[in-house]
Amino acid sequence: MLEQAKAQPDKSYAQSQVLVDEAIRQLQGLEESSIRLLSEQAGDRASLHSINVLVLSLLLGKACGLAEADLQALGIGALLHDIGKQELPNRLRWDDEQFSSAEKKLYQEHVRHGIALGIKMELPSAALQCIAQHHEAANGNGYPMRLSGERISPLARILTLTNQYDNLCNPGNPAAAQTPHEALSTIFTRLKGRFDAQTMSVFIRMMGVYPPGSAVQLTDDRYAMVVSVNSSRPLKPRLIIYNPHIPKAEALVVDLEQQADLGVKRSIKPIQLPRQALDYLSPRQHICYFFERASSLAGGNDTS
């Protein structure tokens, strides 16, 4: 879909609409949605990032109370926000701190290319705004227009945040990847001036204290990996606990809400896990998300 946007813009847009409409249809059918870690990868890096940002943007849009028409525009904008990177050389498609000033300038041109492709695809104006503004910042330090505050569209305020979060978790240099817990902390402390305060507050509440993918140590000192979180119970995620006496393939998903005497003591980097626990819990190099009906989490070890 991304690759054919230039040659077949109408077909690419139609495919985008189908994907986004189906995602919204499923999301709107959930009275209470839960964010859950998707443990298997499929597709290349660009598509993974686009899908991550789409899912997180729709969830955040719903949490912010957006109407369905706005969710559709947000979904299209989120899915296609990086479409302009199709016009860049492969080595410049992912932001890198080692870029020269000339390379940085070329990289930032992906926004302009994205707008041009979006116009060619005849995207709705609200979706085009998302593409045009997904690197703007509330404090005016973004690009390309250095917009700030209310000059950034409400939908783009959501997209700038979810895009930044996924880029922190899945950066161009895997060695620089932050855990979901660290990424939220970075956004709330070091980068908070870049984002709309109300949108950021809703996002942090939605993601929970320990987002899916977080490696944690429990109050009884056992190690675990968070697999899902419900915003109404941020301190009580569901997780897989390292237990050398239970085969990895048979590991149970434990709901801390049902464990009154057990809680999370701290979030840790996967590299801090003992080797056996690391192999058992298998944190993935890339963090991916999807949504599901929260009530379905009540029964069994459902990892479909």
Side-chain angles (χ1 to χ4, degrees):
M1 181 188 66
L2 296 173
E3 291 172 354
Q4 71 182 5
K6 188 174 182 179
Q8 296 178 292
D10 53 342
K11 183 177 179 181
S12 184
Y13 179 33
Q15 290 180 330
S16 303
Q17 287 180 301
V18 170
L19 194 158
V20 170
D21 287 348
E22 176 63 15
I24 292 173
R25 186 186 67 78
Q26 294 190 34
L27 180 62
Q28 297 289 51
L30 309 182
E31 291 183 5
E32 184 180 32
S33 56
S34 179
I35 302 172
R36 177 169 173 168
L37 179 69
L38 180 62
S39 61
E40 299 299 332
Q41 294 187 50
D44 62 18
R45 189 165 160 197
S47 60
L48 285 173
H49 175 65
S50 295
I51 293 297
N52 278 354
V53 174
L54 167 65
V55 170
L56 292 172
S57 294
L58 290 180
L59 284 165
L60 181 53
K62 183 186 178 189
C64 290
L66 293 186
E68 184 166 342
D70 288 330
L71 282 176
Q72 289 173 328
L74 174 61
I76 294 293
L79 183 64
L80 302 177
H81 73 281
D82 272 344
I83 198 166
K85 288 184 178 180
Q86 300 297 319
E87 300 289 323
L88 301 180
N90 285 336
R91 67 182 184 86
L92 294 179
R93 290 187 179 184
W94 298 94
D95 198 5
D96 192 324
E97 292 182 356
Q98 304 304 315
F99 277 170
S100 66
S101 58
E103 289 172 327
K104 189 80 171 178
K105 186 175 181 180
L106 283 172
Y107 169 79
Q108 293 181 354
E109 283 291 296
H110 78 269
V111 176
R112 182 176 62 82
H113 293 312
I115 296 169
L117 282 171
I119 292 173
K120 191 175 182 181
M121 295 169 73
E122 299 184 358
L123 299 184
S125 59
L128 273 175
Q129 274 189 314
C130 286
I131 295 173
Q133 299 176 4
H134 76 275
H135 280 296
E136 300 291 352
N139 58 13
N141 290 335
Y143 66 87
M145 300 296 293
R146 300 186 70 84
L147 303 178
S148 62
E150 298 294 318
R151 296 181 65 197
I152 302 172
S153 80
L155 301 188
R157 291 173 215 166
I158 290 173
L159 178 54
T160 60
L161 181 51
T162 57
N163 182 51
Q164 178 70 76
Y165 174 80
D166 192 61
N167 281 331
L168 289 172
C169 292
N170 301 310
N173 177 10
Q178 296 188 17
T179 67
H181 183 76
E182 289 174 325
L184 275 189
S185 178
T186 296
I187 286 171
F188 187 69
T189 56
R190 187 163 60 85
L191 302 177
K192 67 186 305 180
R194 296 184 59 84
F195 307 109
D196 174 71
Q198 183 176 356
T199 304
M200 184 172 62
S201 176
V202 174
F203 182 68
I204 290 173
R205 187 167 66 248
M206 179 187 86
M207 293 300 290
V209 178
Y210 304 102
S214 298
V216 297
Q217 187 170 25
L218 303 177
T219 50
D220 62 5
D221 290 331
R222 287 185 293 171
Y223 297 103
M225 175 67 63
V226 176
V227 295
S228 70
V229 62
N230 193 303
S231 60
S232 64
R233 300 179 288 278
L235 294 174
K236 294 291 186 177
R238 295 177 84 244
L239 35 77
I240 295 175
I241 300 176
Y242 166 57
N243 186 337
H245 303 297
I246 297 178
K248 175 179 177 178
E250 300 173 15
L252 298 177
V253 176
V254 177
D255 189 343
L256 288 187
E257 189 182 16
Q258 308 301 324
Q259 306 287 327
D261 298 327
L262 188 62
V264 175
K265 180 161 66 175
R266 63 183 180 126
S267 176
I268 58 177
K269 286 179 174 288
I271 198 172
Q272 294 175 297
L273 291 167
R275 185 68 214 183
Q276 296 88 342
L278 180 66
D279 291 341
Y280 188 96
L281 297 171
S282 299
R284 294 304 196 268
Q285 185 176 39
H286 294 285
I287 302 298
C288 313
Y289 296 99
F290 68 102
F291 51 79
E292 64 183 354
R293 189 179 305 280
S295 59
S296 71
L297 298 178
N301 181 18
D302 179 11
T303 56
S304 60

